[in-house]
Amino acid sequence: MVGELLVAAGMLAVVTMAPGPDMAVVTRQVVSGGRGDGLRTTLGIILGLCMWGALTALGLSALLAASPTAFTVVTYAGAAYLVHLGVRSFLDSRHRDEAPADAAPPRGGNAWTVGLISNVLNPKIAVFYIGLLPTLAPSALPTQWGMALLVAAHLVLTALWLGGYVLVLDAAKHFFARPAVRRWMDRIMGSVLVVFGVRVAVNSP
């Protein structure tokens, strides 16, 4: 069982650390609002994972994955939200161009809500939970207990990874505080979020 748990932890770590919309959203929030917004966004992402974990335990995420219509609706809603965040980043960069040098930077929105919505509208998490996690669950435990253990491990890994990422970005806050750097980061992360949104929509079944 220990060996199975180590393999599962390794797989979850790879999935957690792979660059994706979560990291892009967190980066945007840290650059726009600082460490506090980044940590609150991370909390929102974790709450979204908790929701998907609960739905998986209840069997509802399997119904979503099995329903092409419901899956497509949630997928397009998530894609639209990522594109919305990307466009807002571009608008933030334009604001920085037009605002006085001593003006307060535009806020990244309600941080924890941004993280929650971006994760709730990500049906790929449902597919991940019902497709991959059961294959990683320790055979010595009942299926529900094994799944609950892996979901908890995923939550902890996500908190550690994104929380650490926020602290690394915050350590470079003097660099990101430069108006020119903020403008370019807004544009870069805006582009990344739009690309992720388009990819999600294009890859929708």
Side-chain angles (χ1 to χ4, degrees):
M1 179 172 143
V2 174
E4 290 177 324
L5 287 175
L6 290 176
V7 171
M11 288 292 296
L12 289 173
V14 170
V15 171
T16 301
M17 293 186 291
D22 285 349
M23 288 188 67
V25 169
V26 168
T27 302
R28 174 187 180 273
Q29 294 299 111
V30 174
V31 172
S32 296
R35 179 176 59 184
D37 273 8
L39 293 176
R40 283 186 287 273
T41 302
T42 298
L43 174 61
I45 290 171
I46 293 171
L47 290 176
L49 292 177
C50 286
M51 189 211 75
W52 281 117
L55 291 179
T56 300
L58 294 173
L60 299 181
S61 60
L63 294 177
L64 172 63
S67 171
T69 300
F71 188 85
T72 299
V73 168
V74 175
T75 297
Y76 280 128
Y81 187 67
L82 291 176
V83 172
H84 163 72
L85 291 178
V87 171
R88 279 188 54 182
S89 287
F90 278 107
L91 295 177
D92 285 351
S93 70
R94 183 176 178 181
H95 174 86
R96 296 187 203 282
D97 285 334
E98 297 173 351
D102 58 349
R107 300 290 294 176
N110 190 322
W112 80 269
T113 303
V114 169
L116 176 64
I117 294 176
S118 67
N119 215 265
V120 166
L121 294 180
N122 185 2
K124 305 294 184 182
I125 297 295
V127 175
F128 167 65
Y129 275 8
I130 66 175
L132 179 61
L133 286 195
T135 67
L136 299 175
S139 57
L141 294 176
T143 302
Q144 286 189 331
W145 283 103
M147 289 286 290
L149 179 62
L150 293 182
V151 169
H154 189 215
L155 295 177
V156 172
L157 288 171
T158 299
L160 292 174
W161 174 249
L162 291 181
Y165 180 61
V166 168
L167 296 180
V168 169
L169 290 179
D170 185 64
K173 60 186 175 184
H174 294 299
F175 173 75
F176 290 118
R178 301 173 184 175
V181 173
R182 282 180 175 270
R183 284 195 297 270
W184 279 106
M185 284 299 296
D186 281 335
R187 291 164 186 167
I188 291 171
M189 297 319 302
S191 300
V192 170
L193 287 166
V194 169
V195 168
F196 275 129
V198 172
R199 284 185 58 185
V200 168
V202 170
N203 293 331
S204 174

